[in-house]
Structure formats: structure tokens, C-alpha cells
Amino acid sequence: MYDQPRPNASRTAMTFDQMLERVRYEGAYPTRERAAEAVHQVLAALGRQLTGDERVDLAQCLPVEAALALTAAVPEGEPLTGWGFVKDLAARTGGTPATARWDTGAVLAAVTRLTGPELLARILHRLPEGYALLFGQAELRRPEHAAA
């Protein structure tokens, strides 16, 4: 049987053009083309890290073009930390870690507006340390389980 679509948990629906304008503003990019490039690169990189229901639910919150960039990337076996994500993005795009971090922040700020707090919390719980800051959230320490 097929999974039933989940209700869109986003607080603010956005078209892809609106998303590009948001990213262009957040990233201070000179053109929409540069913003679109950042969106595609960052969402493809996120798609390589995110799995499970959170990946599906995030894709449902995004405009179709952005969702395709996220879901076209095959998840990798070993997830990267937030800093590893930035370094990997820089290596794949031929940029520097500073520009990759900038692009990531601009794109994920728009993604955060689309997800809503519940889905964002689930996404951050699924990903390794360091992603909260990339999404513009406080990085809270995860409780360590005491050995019994």
C-alpha cells in the first residue's frame, strides 16, 4: 500500500520564485540565478544527509522545484556533522568553506520558514551535531545517557 500524503506542516506556503527572492535577500546575492544555484546546491547536499520521514515531510513543505533538488540526491551512508556538511559542500562546488557556510545559511533560513517548529525539531534530531546553527537555531546539547 502507498503512503498517504501528510498534511503540510509549513506555516507559510511559498512559491519557488518567492523562495528564490527570500534566499536572494538573505544571502545578498546579486541575481536570482545565483540564489537558484545556492538553493539547488544546498538542498542537494541536505538530500545526501537527510533520510526517513523527515526527508519526505520536508520535501512536502518545499516548492516543487526545491523538493526535486532535495529528493534527487541519494542519501549517503555515513552522515556528516554540520561542519562536515559545509566542508563537503565547498569541495563539491569548488568554493570555500566560508562561501559554502554563507550559502547554507541563506538557503536554510528560507527552509526554516517553510517547515514549522515541529518538523524542524525532528529534522535536527535526525541529523548529527552542528546542523542547528546552519538552520539559524540555537545548538542545544543532547543529553548523554548514563551507563547503567
Side-chain angles (χ1 to χ4, degrees), residues 14-39 63 106-107 109-111 113-114:
M14 232 185 252
T15 66
F16 189 63
D17 286 338
Q18 290 169 329
M19 184 179 190
L20 288 181
E21 284 305 314
R22 167 80 46 199
V23 170
R24 183 176 177 192
Y25 175 79
E26 292 286 338
Y29 297 117
T31 64
R32 287 175 47 92
E33 291 75 22
R34 179 61 187 99
E37 180 181 329
V39 167
V107 173
V111 169
R113 292 180 56 90
L114 292 167

Side-chain angles (χ1 to χ4, degrees), residues 65-80:
E65 297 90 337
L68 290 173
L70 175 81
T71 58
V74 176
E76 295 180 348
E78 187 65 30
L80 300 170

Side-chain angles (χ1 to χ4, degrees), residues 35-136:
E37 180 181 329
V39 167
H40 287 284
Q41 290 171 343
V42 171
L43 289 179
L46 185 60
R48 289 190 291 276
Q49 301 302 308
L50 193 58
T51 61
D53 289 342
E54 291 75 19
R55 177 182 170 103
V56 173
D57 293 347
L58 175 57
Q60 287 183 331
C61 291
L62 297 173
V64 172
E65 297 90 337
L68 290 173
L70 175 81
T71 58
V74 176
E76 295 180 348
E78 187 65 30
L80 300 170
T81 64
W83 177 234
F85 176 88
V86 170
K87 291 190 306 185
D88 182 64
L89 181 60
R92 288 175 187 264
T93 62
T96 66
T99 57
R101 173 61 181 96
W102 184 270
D103 291 347
T104 300
V107 173
L108 295 184
V111 169
T112 298
R113 292 180 56 90
L114 292 167
T115 61
E118 179 188 317
L119 177 55
L120 182 58
R122 288 178 33 225
I123 290 168
L124 293 176
H125 184 73
R126 173 152 312 259
L127 293 169
E129 289 184 10
Y131 282 87
L133 293 173
L134 299 177
F135 279 92

